[in-house]
Each structure stands twice: as structure tokens, then as C-alpha cells.
Amino acid sequence: MDLFAPVSLGDLQLANRVVMAPLTRLRSGDAGVPGELVADHYAQRASVGLIITEGTFPNAESRAYPGQPGIVTDEQVEGWRRVAEAVHARGGRIVMQVMHSGRVSHPDINGVGRIVAPSAIAIDGAVRTPTGTHPFPVPHALTTDEARATLADFVAAAERAVAAGLDGVEIHGANGYLLHEFLSPASNQRDDVYGGSPENRARFVVEVATAVAGAIGAGRVGIRISPEHNIQGVLETDPDDVRATYDALVDGLRPLGLAYLSVLHKEPSGELVQDLRRRFDGPLIANSGFSSPTTRDEAVRLIGEAHAEAVAVGRLVIANPDLVERWAGEHPENAPNPATFYAAGAEGYTDYPTLAAGRN
């Protein structure tokens, strides 16, 4: 397989196999409305095979960060419509990552007054808020009925995203946020249908995916997971439990016929990820994780050796809006500036130069 060849992920037709990973950038203001700057940022990167947006909150209490966009209000929907139109005008494809933060937040951020999670267990650490740095609060443990109401919010968010013109959604089940919290025995100590056994801990994630697929069509729905990515207090340190939990999860997802499974793991060609891929029996987007940027050589190898159908790339897509052209021609790359990743404004967001600009 060739990194620069077209591929189909469910109903999503990609011009190449380079995928823009979901990247928190915090440029959507207090109201969570993506504006023209956000539209420009994504449109600049429309030459990747697929853009996956930054994590977007499906209800008010699920907001994790100041400046994070939402998909709750009419204004947010219209903001995303402008983004989708800008990307499509340049021939790109874009799906929205729907992300519930769970306990990775604070009332001073979401403005709701409570934080929710599978169990009333706080993250050991501190969170930066508009009023300063505070300890992570002890979250409210969702009741069974509240969990199902949250599921309905995921569905409504997916419907709004498609109504805004995006090509589909990615369900965020990774990186220590709500759905990942349900999967891990460190953060999920429930004794109802959503807790205890690996099968029960996987149940809520499967139910969310099933409901979203039923609402907008499975061919437009992907899901992201990050087994063994111990982050934000979500610990998965028992290999046998990891296997049992993620086997149960993928067994529940397989019959749905989702567009793709995206796996964040330090060894995308290793036994765990490849076993999950076979069990899923559908397209895999590989992502080698946070430890180091995904390089051209790694991406070419993963596709060339048939370890994945596509590769998610983060930092180098931030710094190189024309990364596909650069990689295809083996041109030099811009270096990303981490100091501007979570800042505000155009610097480090829409001002990275393209090859074409250098030729002028």
C-alpha cells in the first residue's frame, strides 16, 4: 500500500492516507464558537486525506478547556458550518471528534457547577482554570439514567455535526476523558451494568457508538481508543485486564460496521494493536502517540507494511499545512513551535509557511 494513494474508510473517501490527528488548539473563545480563524486553520490543511477536528464538547458540563469549541448551541453549529464549507471548498474531508471530558475539567471551566465521571474519584493533580490553578475536584458519579442521558447528548452532537455539513464524527474514547474513564478499573469502580467486569466497563462505550451509528450511519462514524496510554489518572497497567477490556470493546463494535478504529499506542505495529485490528475487522488509523512526532518514514512504513489503512499525524500537520505535498516530494519540513500550541490568535496556528509561499 502507498501512503499517498486513495482509500475508503466506510463512507469516507480519502485522497491519501495521511490523517490530521485531533489536536487541542483552544482558539474558539469563551462561547466555544469556531470563527474565521479556525475555518482558515482547517482549510489550510485540506490536502490531508482526512481532518479530524479538535475534541468538541457535546454538552456544557463536558467542556474541558477554556477556548475549546462545542457543538451544543446554534451559534456553535453555524461556526462549524463555516469550517466545513471552507474545508470542502478546497476538496478536503473533515469529521468532528466528539469529546466528553468527564472528570478532566473544573466548574470554573464548564460553568455548570459539577464535574461528572463513572465514579466519584478525583484525578490526583491540579487543573488550570480562568481563576487560577486548583486541585481536580471529586466528580459526581453518573447514575445509570444520567449516563444514558449523556449518551443521548453524544447522539445529538453527532446529528448537529452532520447537519453543519461535516462528513462524520469520531467518538473520543481515549486519553483519560469520560469514555476512557469507563474502560479503566482505576477510574471506574461502579457496581451497576457499567462497572466491574471488563465487559461491563466496555458496555457504555459500545452503547454510545451503537447509538451514534444508528443516528447518522455507521459509515460516517469512527472511534478513537488508547489502550495502555496511562494519562490523567486513567491507568491500564494489568496486561490481562487490558486485553479483556479492549477485546470486549472491539467485539461490541465489530458488528456495527464503523468507518474506522483509530488506536493511539506507542507500538502501532505491535501485537496488541494488530490483534485489535483483526478483531475489529475494519479500517485502522494508526497513531504512535505523544512520545515523539510521527515521521514520514514511520508513516510510509506503517502503510507500506500493511499495518494500517491510514496514519494520524499531529505536530507535523500543525507546522506544515501542506504536509502531504512536502512528504510526497520529500521536501524539508517546518518545525512546530510548542509554545503556541495552546495559545490564542494566529501565531503558530495559521501563519506557518507553505512551499508555495516560498516559491513566490
Side-chain angles (χ1 to χ4, degrees), residues 56-345:
T56 303
F57 57 87
N59 60 29
E61 71 185 8
S62 64
R63 187 175 196 170
Y65 306 107
Q68 181 187 7
I71 187 67
V72 182
T73 68
D74 291 345
E75 293 78 13
Q76 290 164 353
V77 170
E78 288 307 306
W80 282 115
R81 189 185 310 281
R82 291 189 294 270
V83 172
E85 289 173 350
V87 170
H88 290 154
R90 296 199 184 183
R93 296 287 178 268
I94 181 168
V95 299
M96 175 183 291
Q97 188 187 70
V98 181
M99 170 187 142
H100 191 305
S101 68
R103 62 185 185 166
V104 188
S105 190
H106 190 277
D108 291 351
I109 294 172
N110 69 17
V112 173
R114 75 170 190 175
I115 304 301
V116 302
S119 300
I121 303 169
I123 300 172
D124 182 12
V127 54
R128 293 181 180 178
T129 81
T131 61
T133 300
H134 305 286
F136 278 106
V138 176
H140 165 74
L142 290 166
T143 67
T144 306
D145 287 345
E146 287 171 340
R148 289 169 179 157
T150 300
L151 180 154
D153 289 337
F154 271 92
V155 172
E159 292 174 332
R160 291 188 193 101
V162 170
L166 284 92
D167 298 297
V169 302
E170 177 179 280
I171 298 166
H172 197 349
N175 295 3
Y177 299 109
L178 182 70
L179 298 188
H180 197 190
E181 292 163 15
F182 270 92
L183 293 170
S184 168
S187 47
N188 180 350
Q189 298 181 10
R190 302 170 71 94
D191 57 8
D192 64 354
V193 296
Y194 296 131
S197 68
E199 293 78 13
N200 279 0
R201 284 185 273 115
R203 186 188 309 275
F204 184 62
V205 185
V206 172
E207 288 183 356
V208 169
T210 302
V212 171
I216 67 169
R220 303 210 282 186
V221 179
I223 186 167
R224 191 179 215 218
I225 59 173
S226 58
E228 298 182 321
H229 184 49
N230 297 317
I231 188 171
Q232 300 188 135
V234 173
L235 306 179
E236 294 169 326
T237 56
D238 180 341
D240 291 337
D241 185 80
V242 169
R243 282 285 184 159
T245 302
Y246 284 90
D247 283 354
L249 173 62
V250 173
D251 285 350
L253 298 175
R254 184 178 59 248
L256 302 179
L258 299 182
Y260 65 83
L261 175 69
S262 178
V263 182
L264 174 68
H265 194 275
K266 63 183 179 181
E267 296 179 352
S269 59
E271 182 179 352
L272 174 62
V273 175
Q274 293 302 310
D275 282 355
L276 292 174
R277 178 192 186 192
R278 285 186 286 271
R279 206 171 191 111
F280 179 67
D281 194 26
L284 174 74
I285 298 178
N287 189 340
S288 58
F290 294 158
S291 58
S292 61
T294 301
T295 65
R296 180 190 188 279
D297 288 347
E298 180 185 8
V300 168
R301 179 183 60 78
L302 284 169
I303 300 301
E305 296 179 1
H307 293 307
E309 279 66 43
V311 178
V313 183
R315 279 161 281 189
L316 287 181
V317 175
I318 287 177
N320 297 275
D322 56 351
L323 185 68
V324 173
E325 180 184 358
R326 290 177 187 267
W327 276 6
E330 299 189 59
H331 299 291
E333 302 161 359
N334 299 322
N337 177 9
T340 61
F341 285 174
Y342 310 116

